[in-house]
Amino acid sequence: MITTDNRDETKDRILDAALKRFIHFGAGKTTMNEIAEDLRCSKASLYYYFPDKQGLHLAVLEKISEHLFQTMEERLVEMKKATDTLLDFIAIKYEFGCKFFRLEIFKLIQEKKMITPQQFRAFRDREHKLFTRIFEFGNDQGEFHLKRPATEIASLYQDVLEGVRYVASDGLPVIEIPNEDFFAKIVAKQRAIAQIFINGLKYKD
């Protein structure tokens, strides 16, 4: 039975239950009643924390996005070579995509335009800071020879990887049924273009 003694803990339990349902059945097919049944609580208890299903979708997206960034930041702490870390980031996002593609939540959010431009920029800005740190590290260690500021290099690199994803999806903003083959196609192209990009940074006049 859900109580309000610890709101953060209760909210996390709801998100965990919703995420489990979304992974197995898809976000679009999951109802608030089913989540309430899994938690053995009333539907009203769910609406206390999430007034509508859209709010729950966004909260789940924030939860898994935070998990992605935590994984990437942990990799930064262990960084020994910038090149390896850049390629590891591609692998991390590939594993993330394969794990959560059944959620359907990305498709629903894009279709209903739930994410504001400010939220999207916040996500990209956070990723950009991670890339900047990698390029700065590589330059400081003599692995790279940057001719431009690391922050500018990070922006270019980020745009290139995003462009590869766009091309891999044939220019479609929403993928109807993403699968592991789709993500494998993206990661293969991203690794190839990343290696070309990295080789250019290693060139010394």
Side-chain angles (χ1 to χ4, degrees), residues 32 51-59 109 112-115:
M32 296 293 270
D52 53 43
K53 196 174 178 182
Q54 177 175 314
L56 180 60
H57 286 164
L58 287 174
I109 287 174
K112 297 182 180 181
K113 298 181 179 179
M114 297 181 193
I115 296 180

Side-chain angles (χ1 to χ4, degrees), residues 25-149:
F25 305 105
K29 296 179 181 178
T30 297
T31 67
M32 296 293 270
N33 280 334
E34 290 170 335
I35 297 173
E37 289 174 3
D38 290 343
L39 291 169
R40 297 182 180 179
C41 72
S42 68
K43 189 175 178 181
S45 296
L46 294 188
Y47 281 113
Y48 174 81
Y49 292 94
F50 301 100
D52 53 43
K53 196 174 178 182
Q54 177 175 314
L56 180 60
H57 286 164
L58 287 174
V60 169
L61 180 61
E62 289 175 0
K63 181 180 179 69
I64 61 178
S65 295
E66 184 60 32
H67 173 69
L68 171 64
F69 278 116
Q70 285 180 356
T71 303
M72 295 168 78
E73 287 167 357
E74 288 170 2
R75 179 63 185 85
L76 275 186
V77 173
E78 304 170 350
M79 180 166 54
K80 294 181 179 179
K81 291 187 64 177
T83 296
D84 292 343
T85 305
L86 289 171
L87 296 177
D88 284 348
F89 270 26
I90 293 175
I92 289 170
K93 294 185 77 172
Y94 168 70
E95 293 172 1
F96 175 83
C98 289
K99 182 176 181 179
F100 294 115
F101 75 87
R102 291 184 183 277
L103 288 178
E104 297 177 0
I105 198 167
F106 304 102
K107 178 174 177 290
L108 286 173
I109 287 174
Q110 286 179 325
E111 286 179 342
K112 297 182 180 181
K113 298 181 179 179
M114 297 181 193
I115 296 180
T116 66
Q118 292 79 8
Q119 290 172 315
F120 180 72
R121 281 197 296 271
F123 182 93
R124 280 182 56 85
D125 287 347
R126 188 171 178 182
E127 183 181 54
H128 176 263
K129 289 178 181 178
L130 297 180
F131 283 137
T132 299
R133 287 169 59 187
I134 296 173
F135 289 120
E136 287 176 340
F137 178 86
N139 195 56
D140 292 342
Q141 297 297 313
E143 185 179 352
F144 298 152
H145 303 285
L146 304 187
K147 307 297 190 300
R148 294 176 178 275

Side-chain angles (χ1 to χ4, degrees), residues 87 90 93-94 124 127 131 155-173 175 181-197:
L87 296 177
I90 293 175
K93 294 185 77 172
Y94 168 70
R124 280 182 56 85
E127 183 181 54
F131 283 137
S155 292
L156 291 171
Y157 182 74
Q158 193 174 26
D159 288 345
V160 167
L161 293 188
E162 180 62 21
V164 170
R165 187 211 63 78
Y166 184 78
V167 171
S169 61
D170 297 323
L172 298 176
I175 305 302
D181 289 340
F182 169 75
F183 291 114
K185 179 181 178 182
I186 290 178
V187 76
K189 291 186 176 183
Q190 286 185 332
R191 286 184 65 87
I193 198 69
Q195 196 62 64
I196 294 172
F197 197 99

